[in-house]
Amino acid sequence: MTRTAVVAGVGPGLGTAVARRFAAEGCRVALLARTESYLDALAAELDGTAGEGLAVRTDLTDAASVERAFETVREEWGPTDALVYNASGAPWKGVTDVTLDEFDDALATGPRGALLCSQEAAADMVGGDANETGTVVFTGATTSVRGREGALGFSAAKFAVRGMAQSLARELGPEGVHVAHVVLDGSIRPPDAETAEPPTTLDPDAIAERYWELVTADADTMPFEVHLTNGPGGAIEFV
């Protein structure tokens, strides 16, 4: 089947890798982020693959902007089959340094944006064809399961998204929607950076492959939480 996927939070790293992987499988991929010029270039690239790309400039912290984005996707391609929520943002500051505005922004980009996108995606996925299922994947981090010093806003936001994912899995699972949370235990290799031996960073293309496996997982054995580490060469903090 041809899937319509929404990747929320698209930059040069993991978001782009996920979009390319899904498009290579023939998916129609909507790209949601604030930087319009980057989205336009990536959408044009995806149009040259087995799939298609659609650039949708979106402020993921704004309810009206998210609603318009999903309406655009519906008008172009119909309902969303898969959502990847990949957005996050926070200053690396502790309790004495972080400002209230910075903390609020971390929560707005994290759990608030995740809620807004999940509501729109769930409206498309629940009550559809009984033979089809939807998928929602959240990008987590080590701080989703263990708070980190000097990263108060980021830790709070990632903990909140993980809790949302657990709640959604219970709520939407019986409706045929697969909800998964991916803990990335390590830093992601920057674009164009060389791979060390042994690896010290997570490969964004390998992560994207695991995301695609979640979308295509058998309904009888769908994993909820996946932990990915960067191997023996990196600093594995959680596992």
Side-chain angles (χ1 to χ4, degrees), residues 108-133:
T109 306
R112 176 183 169 85
L115 171 64
L116 294 172
C117 289
S118 297
Q119 287 177 324
E120 292 291 336
D124 286 349
M125 296 175 187
V126 175
D129 190 329
N131 296 319
E132 298 178 6
T133 59

Side-chain angles (χ1 to χ4, degrees), residues 122 125-130 132-134 169-178:
M125 296 175 187
V126 175
D129 190 329
E132 298 178 6
T133 59
R170 292 178 178 271
E171 178 181 350
L172 300 181
E175 301 291 340
V177 179
H178 179 199

Side-chain angles (χ1 to χ4, degrees), residues 11-187:
L14 179 57
T16 290
V18 170
R20 286 171 174 163
R21 182 67 185 88
F22 283 26
E25 293 292 338
C27 291
R28 299 169 297 206
V29 184
L31 312 167
L32 276 56
R34 294 178 180 176
T35 308
E36 191 169 18
S37 58
Y38 185 81
L39 296 183
D40 288 339
L42 180 57
E45 175 191 328
L46 299 185
D47 284 341
T49 68
E52 299 178 64
L54 177 65
V56 188
R57 186 179 183 277
T58 311
D59 180 353
L60 295 171
T61 69
D62 181 78
S65 182
V66 172
E67 182 179 359
R68 287 193 300 270
F70 277 82
E71 279 301 317
T72 298
V73 175
R74 294 183 188 109
E75 290 169 2
E76 290 287 331
W77 294 329
T80 297
D81 300 301
L83 166 66
V84 174
Y85 195 81
N86 185 56
S88 64
W92 293 96
K93 295 181 180 180
V95 65
T96 59
D97 297 317
V98 68
T99 67
L100 184 58
D101 285 345
E102 290 171 333
F103 189 81
D104 285 345
D105 183 65
L107 297 182
T109 306
R112 176 183 169 85
L115 171 64
L116 294 172
C117 289
S118 297
Q119 287 177 324
E120 292 291 336
D124 286 349
M125 296 175 187
V126 175
D129 190 329
N131 296 319
E132 298 178 6
T133 59
T135 307
V136 179
V137 181
F138 297 97
T139 298
T142 307
T143 48
S144 300
V145 292
R146 192 184 74 185
R148 176 174 177 171
E149 71 280 3
L152 193 65
F154 190 70
S155 297
K158 286 298 186 183
F159 257 84
V161 170
R162 186 181 186 225
M164 288 175 58
Q166 291 177 350
S167 179
L168 285 173
R170 292 178 178 271
E171 178 181 350
L172 300 181
E175 301 291 340
V177 179
H178 179 199
V179 179
H181 178 262
V182 181
V183 176
L184 302 181
D185 189 28
S187 58

